[in-house]
Every structure is written in structure tokens, then in C-alpha cells.
Amino acid sequence: GGGARGPAAGWPTGRGGVCMMCTAGGDVAVAELEAAIKAQGETVRKLKAAEDKDKEAIGRAVAELLALKAQLSTGAPPPAAPPPPSASKQGGPSVPQSGGSGGGGDSGNAGQEKKGGGVGGEAAELSEGELFQRRLQKAEALAAAGQLPYAYGYSRTHLSDAFAAEFEHLLAGDVDEKAEVSLCGRVMTKRLFGKLAFLTVQDSSGTFQLYLDKKTLGPDFKLFLDLADAGDFVGASGSVKRTDKGELSVFAHRVQILTKALRPLPDKFKGLSDVNKRYRQRYLDMIVNPHVRQTFATRARITAFIRRYLDGRGFLEIETPSLNSQPGGAEAKPFETHHNALGLNLTLRIATELYLKRLIIGGIDRVYELGRIFRNEGISTRHNPEFTSIELYQAYADYEDMMNLTEELISGAAEAACGSTQLQYQGTPIDLSRPWRRATMAELVMEKVPTFDFYKLRERDGGSDIASAGPALAEAAAAAAAAASAAAAASVEQKRGGTSCR
Amino acid sequence: KNEQKRRAKQEAAAKAKAEKAAAKAAADAAEPSKPKAAAAAAAGDEEEEEEEDAGKYFESRLAYVNGIKAAGGNAYPHKFHTSMQIPTYVAKYAEAVAPGAFAEETGVALAGRVLSKRSGGRGLVFLDLVGEGAKVQVFADASKFPEWEGLDKEARNAKFIALMTTLKRGDVIGVTGTPGKTRRGELSLFPSSMLLLTPCLHMLPKSAPGRPALVDKEIRYRQRYLDLMVNPATRHNFITRTKIVNFVRRFLDMHGFLEVETPMMNAIPGGATARPFITKHNELNLDMYMRIAPELYLKMLIVGGLDRVYEIGRLFRNEGMDLTHNPEFTTCEFYWAYQDYNDLIKFTEEMLSQMVLNICGSYKIKLHPEPKDGQEPKVLEIDFTPPFARISMISGLEDKLGEKMPMPLEGDEANAWLLQQCKKHNVECKPPHTTARLLDKLVGEFLESQCLNPTFICDHPKIMSPLAKDHRDLPGLTERFELFANYHEMCNAYTELNDPVEQRARFASQAKDKAAGDDEAMFVDEGFVTALEYGLPPTAGWGMGIDRLTMLLTDNESIKEVLLFPAMRPVGMPADQSVGCL
């Protein structure tokens, strides 16, 4: 329960502490077991390295090793206490696993090959702990077979999208014998058809199909399929084939497991509907919902555009302290901390404003900082204790200049990130094309409450006027806030010109 | 309000001190630096100011500003339309205008800070206007102001003098006029109007030939804006810093990396061995740690399928301060699936050599370390021409010590041997005498001391590297390297440990060290091990300190020189050597 947390809701489960304690407590026993395992592993290795291999002895030694491993994992925290908090919330011991879509592997027994088109998932009756054990044993078996369950690297020739583009011309049923490609990624599904097997493998650009044929691979066919599960990373090299059904595939001449995954992937359809789990274990979210990666790629494009835009206009990006001896630049509750060596209390910055203005005084006429701000406030769908903002300051400019810059910056970011200034935000169309409407607060209020003029307040002793206009004002304020937040949402969370404040 | 007053007083006092020193130096350096005309009419108002007490100066300036306000004027105009920035002006007219000639354009408007003001005789004043690191002379001639065209010479001069006495050294002003060059060839702006935009209420530190205007580090660091105003080298340092960060970003983007942001507040501080800052989230009533490294989060993103990720950002370590340590500092870490540390050695060589060539104009850079007491100043040259040297840590150390190290390193024999070697060579190591710590000291003494030119120290033992993968050939060691240059660590990288069973065992052994009193041992992060159980593909990871690299490329020996606002001890707290200064 320690660190697998998304940025948004990443706090308390209490699990982190508990687990730390059990690790520390079961330490000695675990260490002994591990020593025994290591020794046994050595024995296996020696047996295998021997000139005249005694297969029987190897078999016995491996079995013993597996038994030790099993002992370790039942005694030690990981598999014994793995069901993540959300699993128990969902109720039921048969935790998320690749029932329908997953690979027919974890049942472990040699029988998988017989299933025609079998997608026979990891036996649903197994507990998560047992599944973990099986996969651990497979990792060990890989090592015993002289393959690394955790390889040191892999050099690929194509990402899946480049692969698809390059061999687009290939007709159904054809093989490009001359092509030599190497691709790698995470196994998402595994389907067996007797002497053929098809794996869907996911990499950072999409998925590709891996076509395994017993005739081509020989004994490796069975070895690989026995030991590979959905969730594992694999690498395959070979030629290129489009199946009769039209699926472009890597026709594997060589295939290897690169990383053995010890836990099954969550089920695509029910496993990650839990928002909490999605945020806490963002990596699972990204595996199962690849579009989530797009959100973060878009985020990166936004910040990259902002930098490019400002750098192009002569702004200098700089860094100012996050640890301040007193909070400034905004009104918000700060986080407090303590510097031990100095015995000094510090606060985390709530804004960068005052430092940046000092730099304008120092003669850096156009300056910005894009970085983290901290506010010790509640968490909501729009608030996280730490968030990223940009502040920029430009000498000899005023708020009219800042309005122009804001228009360019946000509409430009929309172009760069989304390819258009016409956005759909939560089902609502937003048009970010320039120029934007400019209106004073007084004008906006008058639109909603034609009888109420802000400017006249100055001239009157208007306490009663304000009170009577109250309800109508509140309505107008809500409308303005909605408009403002819609605009902000189109770009980074916070945006400042030289003058505005949250 | 009181606080403001108190601070104003303090600053004034500090500045008075600097002023005095500067004034003395100026007096020593004497006349010859001044233009002839100025020397002739030396009774300018600037001379009087120098004599004036800083406190009085502040009061009289404030009174002037209040006077404007009382008269209904605006001492701080909202907007001055500039037609270009000063560097653009210099670039545009430096070549295009001949000495003694004017450009065709009129009404060119510049704004900047007055860094010097010299009287040039009746009806003439010269000002140096600076902005964005460039300088232009303002050649103010009373007869060229259309506003006073109808007046006779005396009346005109009176108006001119009145205007000029309101513009002081340090003020930010706007000037509109005609670009041109003096007969002596100095690029100038010949004004038709001048406007005070922001009065400077304090006297600025003054420079003298051959000596920076502001040398007092206390003032330079605490009031960095003064440093930036008067010492051009400071500005250059920070521009180089930005160039370095931009280069790294561009280089990684070019190689298909995605820039991400991971949390700075963590429930468990992981990814490095260091004392963390602790803070508290009020609403959740939860203690949090400021991150000491983004490593574990970034590797979780590799698990999630982002094959190439990086983060450039702030880290926090609750440690004392010295020449190379600040409580917060900036690093870049990247992780790259399917690569190993051999790939990263080549990648690092490529990145750094290209960066140095790009930013410094050559693979070779020169350093001018402050001479130690009684020593001759020396110049060091560092050569970033790839490939860089490589030393395998254990065999390198054995070569230096002339003895074989007992194996395994985890054993008591190795520990005893290392302790004995430390004693033998007078290498000090404070307890606890863990094998990792002893080894670290010996490596510092015998190997890091060889690393003037960029050098990879490779293949660290497992006990020193809880997150690095076992070396594929050398038992007990890992596939890791640290890059050193100028004897300082620049980069740290390894083939990532991705076997969850092994990772849990390494964490457990760190926990043991922690229990034994090594409070810099790593915390156990179960959530991270869980992520590994879902499968981290073969991955190599890399980290580099931006501050130290900037120190190297700007020829600076203190991290404070490359931080705009370095951590400083509160005013009044005595400096303590063991603590450094905050």
C-alpha cells in the first residue's frame, strides 16, 4: 500500500505502515529462507552447468527449489496479504483477473494446448495468493530452463504503430519472408489453437499480434506457452504475416519472456471501474485503459507548448525556492515543515509571485516559472494539495498585454494539444478561437441585473442597495465562475498573468 | 508596517556598507575612467549623492515620490509603450549607423534602468540605460526636447536640470528619441522625451573599473536582484542554467521521452537514501514526506507502459548546507524501457558532450578554482570529448590498494578488511561502519580523486545499490555507474532491478541497516514492490543534478551561485561551519 498512488487522491490506507512492520518482523525467517533458496538455486545452476547433465537430478533440485519458494511466499507478506484494499471492497475472494480476456496460462498444468480457441482464463477458482505462487514458480522454471525471467534488455526494430504502417500493404494470407522485425511489449491476451497461438501484445504506441507456430518454433513453442501469461513482457523477432482473417502479425522465429509478471492484470471490464484503484495504482489504469496515457501525453504537449511560446517571446524560465521562511504571494494555508540542521520552521510555497517580481527588479524583464505549488487544503475533483502552475511577469506590460498573451497562449496550447481551438469539454462545446470577449465585472453584473451598477456604489452609502441586490448578484457570480473555470480547464490548472491571483 | 520599516532600515544599513566600500574603490580608481566632458563639469549631482547618507537618500527619494502623489501625479505610470527591447536596439543599430550619424527612424521608445548618469556640461547629460543584459547610452541634450522649443536657452536649461535631477541612478525610465551614434562612435539614443517609470528609493551599489560593484555574498544572495542589476556575470550564470535545462529537455524529447510530473509529497520517501523533510496535511491529519527522489514513481509509469519518461524537478533533503548542498535542488531523472546501463553510458556521453559543445562552444572547458591559502591560482581544463574514461569500482579499488578484496562483500571478513584499509590509509569513516559506508569512503579517497575529466565509476556492489539490477557477469555487483567530473558526482544510473522477490529482499536488508542505526538506509515501499509484481520490463534509469552541472559549466564552486535564491540562515543567526549557512 505504499507508493502506488496517482497524483490526485493518493493518501491514507494505513497499509503502508502495516506492511512495513510485517516485513521488518518476519525479517529473520525470511532471510533464512531466502538464503536456503539462494543455495538451492546455486545447486540447480551447477547441475545444469555440469558437462554430463543428470536430468533427473536437475528435476529433483528444481522441485525442491520451488517448494522452498512456495514456503517463502506463504510465510512472507507479499502473497499472503496481497489482495489490495479495493479488492476486498469489491467483495469476493476471486479478485480481478483475466477471466474472459486473459491468457490461458495460469492453470499451470500442461493441458492448455489442447483447447481449440480456448481462452480458458486463469482458473477463476484460484485465489490471488495461489495465482501469485504459480507465476513465481513459472519464473523459477524459466531460470531452471536457462532463461532469465528478468532479461537485461531488448532491442526492437519497430513500435506497433510503425510496424502497422510499414506493412500496411501486406495482403491477407501473405507472408513477407524477407522482413526481419523485432517487437516487444506486454502480453494482453493469449489464445491457443493446437499448433498455433496468438498473443495480443501492447507497447507504448498500441498493440500488435504475435503469431506463434509450433512448426517454426519447435520445442520453444510449448516451453514459451507453458510459462508465459497475460501481463508478462515478451520480445519476439521474425518475419511478418497477415493472417487469413486480415490481422497483421509478427510471425515469430524467436520468442522470449522479458519480464515475468507475478500478478495477473485486472480484468479490463470490471477490474478498474474503481476510481480509487485507478488513481492509487495509476500504472494498472494505464495498462488497461491506454487512453489514460493520452491524457498525460496531452498534458506534456501543453507544457511543452507554453515553454516554446514563452521562450519564443524572450521569456527566461527560472526556478525559485519551494521552501520559504514565510508564505507569500497568495492567501492560502501553507504546508509547514522543519529544517533539522538549522532548527528552522519553513513553509512550502503557495505562490511564486514575490520571488519572480524580485527578478524583474533585477533586470530579467521577461521571466516565468512553471512548477509545483502547495496548499494545505481539502481534496476535491478540482483541488490537489500540490498542483502545477505557471506564473509569468513582463516588464513594461499591463493587463491589456496580459489579456492578449493569455488568448494566444491558451488558444495556441489548444491547437498544439488537441489540434483545434474548438473543444468539447464534458459534452459542452467551447470555442477558444481569438479574439475573446472582454467585459468589466460591472458590465457582466449589469447584464444579469440591469438595475445594478457597480460603479454607482462608490458614490452612495449603498449598504442597503447591496443587500437588496444580493440574490441576483449571487446568480451572476455563479455564471461568471462557470465561464472562468471552463476556460481554465482547457489548459493547465492555474494561469496567471502578471497581475491576477487565485 | 513595523516589519517593513525595520526591513527597510536593515537593507539601507547593509547597502550603506556596500556603498562606502564602493565609493572608496571609486575614489581610488579616480578620474581617468570618466569622459573628458564629465571630468570638466564634475560638479554633477551624482557626486553629491555619493556623499549622502543612505538613510537620508531614502527619505529624500520617498519625499519626492510622496510629493508627486500629493500633487495628484502618478509616480508609477501604468504603461510605457516600448518599441523594442534594448538588446534588439543594439543589434539593429550597432552596425547600421555610422559614427556621428542618426538613423532615419524617430520616436524609438526604450525602457530600462539607469545604471550611471554623468553630466556633460551645460544642457548635456549622459545616462547608461540597461535592460535584458544590454546597455545603451542616452545622450540627453536640452536643445533636442520639442517640449521646450520656444524657450530661451536659460529657461530651457532650467527645465532640463529640473527634469534630470528627478532621474536618479537606479531609476527605471522610459526614453523616446532618435537612434544614432556619437562622434566617438558610441551607440546612443538621442531623446525627445524622458519619463520616470519607477523611482528607485535606495542607492545602488557602484562599480569601479576592474572590480564588480557588489562582492558581499550576504547581499548578493539575499538580495539577488541587486546582484543581477550590477553584476552581469550573475545573469550569465542563470542564462546558462536555463540553457542546460532546455538542452536536456530538447535532447530527451528528441529521443521520444515523455515529460511527466510525479508527487513531491509522499507517504513514504523512496528512491534514495537521505533524510526527508516532514510536513503534515491538515485536513487528512496525515504526515507526509517531501520527496527525496522521483525514482519509484517513474518506474511505476514504466510498468504502466510509458516506455520513456523523464521528470525535471525539485528534490528535498533535510541536510546541512555546504558548497554543493542546498535543502532543495533540481534533478533530471529518466527511465527507458528495454535499455541497459551500457546503452546509458553511450547516451550520457552523447548528451553531455553535445551539451558542452553547444553551450560552451568547445568540448573543453576551463575552471578557475579559488586558490587555497598560499597556493598559486591554477586553471583546470576538463575535456568532454567522448568517450569518457571508465573504472570498474571494485577492481579499480583493488588496483589502487594493491590487494584483493575478500568476497562476498556481505560477509564479516570483507567488512573487517575495509575497516583495516581505512585505518591503514587514514581514511576517516564515522560509525556505523557498515560495509557500504566504508567502501564509499575508500572509493572517494582513491577513485573519485582521479576523476577530473568525466569518468564513469561502474559496477557498484549490491549492498550500495538497493534499486540496481545484479550484474549479469560479476557476482555481488550491480549494473550501475556514476559519472564524475571535476571530482563531483554528476550522474547516477543503472539497469533497474525489476525482480520483485529480489527487490523485497534488498529492502529488507536496508531495513536491517536502518535498525542498526544507519538512518540514511532506505524505507521499504510495499506499493512499489507491488508494482514490480505486475511486471517492470527491462529498463535502465538515470539521474543527473542540474545544479552541479551548472556549477561546472559556469565555473562556479558554490551551489549558491547557481540558485537564484539559495537557502540562507535567518538574518542574525550565527554562521556555524557544521551547518553551513541558511
Side-chain angles (χ1 to χ4, degrees):
Chain A
R5 3 199 81 161
W11 327 115
T13 64
R15 251 189 108 231
V18 173
C19 284
M20 270 166 70
M21 272 185 274
C22 32
T23 311
D27 232 9
V28 180
V30 171
E32 273 172 17
L33 253 178
E34 280 169 358
I37 289 169
K38 201 172 276 176
Q40 188 63 23
E42 236 5 86
T43 316
V44 173
R45 237 158 278 145
K46 272 184 202 142
L47 279 170
K48 295 180 52 149
E51 295 265 319
D52 47 341
K53 287 184 189 164
D54 180 348
K55 283 197 176 165
E56 220 171 285
I58 293 178
R60 271 199 309 276
V62 169
E64 208 168 310
L65 183 59
L66 293 183
L68 278 171
K69 286 260 180 182
Q71 215 178 322
L72 171 70
S73 28
T74 41
S86 56
S88 49
K89 263 181 232 150
Q90 287 170 352
S94 58
V95 253
Q97 47 170 280
S98 28
S101 61
D106 270 328
S107 43
N109 309 318
Q112 307 108 311
E113 261 183 75
K114 62 181 181 244
K115 301 159 191 156
V119 285
E122 303 186 284
E125 64 279 4
L126 291 184
S127 74
E128 191 167 338
E130 286 167 314
L131 282 174
F132 188 96
Q133 279 320 301
R134 263 172 214 279
R135 285 172 171 245
L136 199 56
Q137 284 162 10
K138 288 182 185 179
E140 196 48 57
L142 264 175
Q147 290 182 22
L148 293 169
Y150 301 98
Y152 280 82
Y154 193 78
S155 53
R156 65 177 155 203
T157 57
H158 295 73
L159 279 169
S160 53
D161 59 351
F163 174 67
E166 186 172 335
F167 296 96
E168 199 188 354
H169 62 276
L170 210 59
L171 298 173
D174 282 1
V175 180
D176 186 339
E177 296 281 6
K178 281 185 199 140
E180 286 178 40
V181 300
S182 298
L183 280 80
C184 52
R186 192 189 284 273
V187 177
M188 301 307 286
T189 66
K190 180 174 127 184
R191 285 158 299 150
L192 309 169
F193 297 89
K195 293 179 177 176
L196 289 180
F198 300 96
L199 277 66
T200 307
V201 180
Q202 177 174 290
D203 65 19
S204 56
S205 73
T207 61
F208 62 92
Q209 176 162 279
L210 192 51
Y211 185 107
L212 304 180
D213 162 29
K214 189 171 182 182
K215 210 165 73 192
T216 312
L217 288 170
D220 284 349
F221 181 77
K222 180 175 179 342
L223 184 70
F224 177 80
L225 289 172
D226 280 353
L227 298 178
D229 294 306
D232 292 352
F233 281 91
V234 301
S237 56
S239 54
V240 181
K241 177 185 172 75
R242 196 179 288 281
T243 62
D244 295 337
K245 285 185 176 173
E247 194 72 32
L248 186 68
S249 311
V250 175
F251 187 81
H253 297 170
R254 215 182 107 65
V255 62
Q256 69 177 111
I257 292 176
L258 300 175
T259 296
K260 185 69 203 163
L262 299 184
R263 290 174 187 259
L265 292 178
D267 184 281
K268 194 167 192 164
F269 303 101
K270 28 181 193 178
L272 273 183
S273 49
D274 179 357
V275 171
N276 262 328
K277 190 177 174 94
R278 279 188 47 219
Y279 294 157
R280 278 181 208 284
Q281 291 178 281
R282 177 68 85 187
Y283 53 91
L284 291 181
D285 192 21
M286 286 176 168
I287 296 167
V288 182
N289 304 316
H291 68 269
V292 171
R293 289 187 222 153
Q294 280 314 307
T295 304
F296 294 96
T298 302
R299 187 184 167 115
R301 278 201 295 274
I302 291 170
T303 49
F305 171 81
I306 291 174
R307 285 200 168 96
R308 211 163 53 237
Y309 174 80
L310 293 176
D311 292 350
R313 296 173 65 104
F315 282 83
L316 186 73
E317 181 174 13
I318 52 84
E319 296 180 87
T320 66
S322 308
L323 296 170
N324 303 159
S325 54
Q326 62 189 60
E331 282 185 39
K333 273 208 193 97
F335 282 93
E336 291 168 359
T337 188
H338 186 77
H339 190 276
N340 294 339
L342 289 176
L344 191 67
N345 289 326
L346 298 168
T347 61
L348 297 179
R349 68 177 175 196
I350 53 174
T352 49
E353 180 159 355
L354 303 190
Y355 281 110
L356 291 176
K357 285 187 191 164
R358 282 177 169 98
L359 297 177
I360 296 276
I361 295 168
I364 303 180
D365 282 353
R366 298 177 181 197
V367 68
Y368 72 102
E369 178 163 16
L370 212 170
R372 219 69 63 84
I373 305 289
F374 307 86
R375 298 193 179 173
N376 205 339
E377 293 158 2
I379 295 170
S380 75
T381 53
R382 288 191 175 275
H383 292 89
N384 194 64
E386 50 182 303
F387 57 96
T388 301
S389 79
I390 173 164
E391 288 191 24
L392 66 89
Y393 295 84
Q394 181 179 346
Y396 313 114
D398 63 8
Y399 82 143
E400 296 282 346
D401 299 305
M402 286 298 120
M403 280 190 255
N404 293 336
L405 183 144
T406 307
E407 286 183 0
E408 283 185 26
L409 188 112
I410 293 183
S411 60
E415 284 280 0
C418 313
S420 165
T421 50
Q422 312 295 318
L423 304 185
Q424 284 290 325
Y425 178 72
Q426 303 283 312
T428 307
I430 297 179
D431 181 2
L432 290 174
S433 56
R434 299 187 65 194
W436 297 355
R437 186 187 171 199
R438 297 180 188 189
T440 65
M441 276 175 73
E443 286 163 7
L444 290 171
V445 170
M446 288 235 316
E447 272 174 23
K448 292 284 174 185
V449 195
T451 55
F452 185 86
D453 186 349
F454 250 123
Y455 289 130
K456 287 193 180 144
L457 282 181
R458 273 187 294 194
E459 293 146 29
R460 287 194 216 169
D461 182 12
S464 57
D465 275 3
I466 294 171
S468 63
L473 270 180
E475 191 191 321
S485 62
S491 181
V492 285
E493 291 181 38
Q494 301 286 316
K495 187 142 332 274
R496 288 167 184 241
T499 46
S500 74
C501 240
R502 175 154 112 159
Chain B
K1 284 284 167 215
N2 273 340
E3 168 63 14
Q4 254 177 10
K5 262 190 203 160
R6 193 185 61 76
R7 206 156 341 133
K9 237 181 201 172
Q10 230 164 41
E11 285 174 14
K15 217 153 315 137
K17 208 171 119 190
E19 278 299 314
K20 240 179 232 170
K24 186 167 173 288
D28 292 349
E31 303 294 87
S33 69
K34 296 193 175 160
K36 245 193 239 166
D45 48 4
E46 296 301 296
E47 262 59 42
E48 284 163 40
E49 280 171 22
E50 267 182 38
E51 300 308 319
E52 213 172 332
D53 166 59
K56 275 193 196 139
Y57 183 90
F58 178 78
E59 273 164 31
S60 80
R61 284 297 273 164
L62 197 58
Y64 169 69
V65 170
N66 287 337
I68 296 178
K69 289 179 183 168
N74 188 357
Y76 298 91
H78 288 77
K79 174 75 183 171
F80 178 81
H81 285 278
T82 59
S83 30
M84 61 188 79
Q85 290 184 283
I86 295 176
T88 318
Y89 182 88
V90 172
K92 187 167 179 190
Y93 297 110
E95 299 298 324
V97 180
F102 294 97
E104 278 174 24
E105 295 93 319
T106 56
V108 171
L110 297 180
R113 193 179 289 274
V114 177
L115 260 207
S116 81
K117 180 180 162 196
R118 305 173 299 274
S119 174
R122 260 165 220 270
L124 280 185
V125 169
F126 311 114
L127 302 100
D128 282 343
L129 195 65
V130 298
E132 287 294 349
K135 184 180 85 174
V136 65
Q137 175 172 263
V138 175
F139 193 107
D141 179 343
S143 64
K144 299 282 164 57
F145 284 70
E147 208 183 323
W148 307 319
E149 236 159 39
L151 303 174
D152 66 34
K153 200 174 174 188
E154 283 309 311
R156 212 167 55 197
N157 278 350
K159 291 264 185 197
F160 184 71
I161 289 166
L163 172 65
M164 287 303 149
T165 42
T166 64
L167 303 179
K168 303 282 187 190
R169 179 165 180 268
D171 286 353
V172 177
I173 65 169
V175 184
T176 308
T178 306
K181 269 187 184 164
T182 63
R183 264 172 309 210
R184 307 179 66 177
E186 177 154 16
L187 179 64
S188 306
L189 180 61
F190 294 83
S192 52
S193 75
M194 295 170 75
L195 177 66
L196 176 60
L197 300 177
T198 308
C200 174
L201 302 183
H202 294 286
M203 283 195 288
L204 288 191
K206 280 201 178 164
S207 62
R211 185 181 153 286
L214 184 57
V215 289
D216 183 336
K217 287 183 179 166
E218 280 285 306
I219 300 176
R220 286 187 48 232
Y221 299 152
R222 287 182 198 276
Q223 293 176 280
R224 181 66 86 187
Y225 51 91
L226 291 178
D227 189 24
L228 284 165
M229 253 182 242
V230 300
N231 294 330
T234 302
R235 179 192 194 86
H236 176 76
N237 286 345
F238 290 101
I239 288 174
T240 301
R241 183 183 171 111
T242 301
K243 279 185 187 164
I244 290 170
V245 175
N246 286 348
F247 186 94
V248 172
R249 213 171 241 131
R250 216 165 46 237
F251 194 82
L252 292 175
D253 288 347
M254 211 171 66
H255 284 84
F257 283 82
L258 181 73
E259 183 172 12
V260 297
E261 296 180 83
T262 66
M264 291 192 180
M265 292 194 285
N266 306 160
I268 297 173
T273 56
R275 290 186 195 87
F277 282 95
I278 302 173
T279 185
K280 182 171 175 174
H281 190 280
N282 293 339
E283 189 154 302
L284 298 172
N285 191 22
L286 185 71
D287 280 344
M288 311 281 298
Y289 299 94
M290 300 307 293
R291 70 173 175 196
I292 54 174
E295 173 159 358
L296 304 188
Y297 281 105
L298 291 173
K299 281 195 258 194
M300 285 195 251
L301 295 178
I302 300 272
V303 172
L306 304 178
D307 281 355
R308 302 174 187 197
V309 290
Y310 73 100
E311 179 163 15
I312 297 177
R314 222 69 63 82
L315 305 186
F316 304 86
R317 298 193 181 175
N318 202 340
E319 292 160 2
M321 282 152 289
D322 58 29
L323 282 178
T324 54
H325 292 88
N326 195 67
E328 54 181 305
F329 56 99
T330 303
T331 67
C332 172
E333 286 196 14
F334 73 71
Y335 292 83
W336 192 352
Y338 309 112
Q339 303 288 300
D340 64 20
Y341 85 137
N342 292 312
D343 298 314
L344 291 198
I345 283 182
K346 287 197 205 83
F347 193 70
T348 307
E349 286 170 342
E350 192 189 333
M351 182 199 282
L352 288 185
S353 60
Q354 284 187 20
M355 178 194 293
V356 170
L357 185 61
N358 193 288
I359 292 175
C360 307
S362 158
Y363 285 131
K364 294 177 183 171
I365 59 168
K366 288 201 160 57
L367 300 183
H368 304 80
E370 190 94 353
K372 304 240 168 59
D373 292 334
Q375 284 179 2
E376 286 294 303
K378 57 181 172 179
V379 179
L380 301 177
E381 188 180 75
I382 300 188
D383 186 354
F384 279 91
T385 310
F388 304 159
R390 300 177 195 185
I391 304 175
S392 187
M393 181 186 276
I394 297 298
S395 59
L397 198 54
E398 286 175 340
D399 287 348
K400 288 280 167 193
L401 296 174
E403 289 183 53
K404 272 278 176 207
M405 206 172 293
M407 291 289 172
L409 282 165
E410 287 82 354
D412 293 339
E413 197 192 340
N415 186 272
W417 184 83
L418 287 166
L419 193 57
Q420 174 223 326
Q421 290 295 328
C422 279
K423 284 200 180 119
K424 181 175 163 189
H425 296 283
N426 283 325
V427 177
E428 192 194 357
C429 179
K430 292 192 186 116
H433 289 144
T434 60
T435 300
R437 285 171 59 93
L438 291 167
L439 202 50
D440 189 51
K441 294 290 174 206
L442 285 170
V443 168
E445 179 77 17
F446 289 100
L447 297 185
E448 291 170 16
S449 58
Q450 308 298 305
C451 303
L452 172 63
N453 281 316
T455 305
F456 295 106
I457 296 184
C458 307
D459 311 329
H460 300 49
K462 281 206 287 197
I463 47 169
M464 300 174 88
S465 315
L467 299 166
K469 193 162 178 153
D470 299 58
H471 198 287
R472 66 193 85 179
D473 299 319
L474 308 171
L477 307 184
T478 60
E479 297 200 345
R480 175 181 175 188
F481 69 77
E482 288 176 296
L483 177 69
F484 282 79
N486 192 27
Y487 316 113
H488 284 111
E489 183 196 337
M490 295 286 140
C491 305
N492 182 19
Y494 31 89
T495 311
E496 300 295 333
L497 176 57
N498 61 342
D499 175 346
V501 174
E502 171 76 10
Q503 183 66 76
R504 186 172 273 112
R506 300 260 193 102
F507 275 149
S509 119
Q510 286 282 308
K512 246 182 260 172
D513 286 352
K514 216 172 189 52
D518 185 354
D519 59 359
E520 292 202 344
M522 278 188 199
F523 286 78
V524 180
D525 191 330
E526 269 300 324
F528 173 66
V529 181
T530 302
L532 289 191
E533 287 165 357
Y534 282 98
L536 172 70
T539 297
W542 182 94
M544 179 173 78
I546 298 293
D547 310 275
R548 289 187 192 174
L549 182 61
T550 308
M551 286 163 61
L552 190 63
L553 299 193
T554 57
D555 191 9
N556 275 303
E557 291 186 283
S558 167
I559 194 170
K560 288 187 164 57
E561 296 292 349
V562 299
L563 294 167
L564 281 165
F565 301 97
M568 301 290 282
R569 108 193 93 80
V571 177
M573 181 186 274
D576 175 342
Q577 282 173 336
S578 69
V579 159
C581 81
L582 178 96

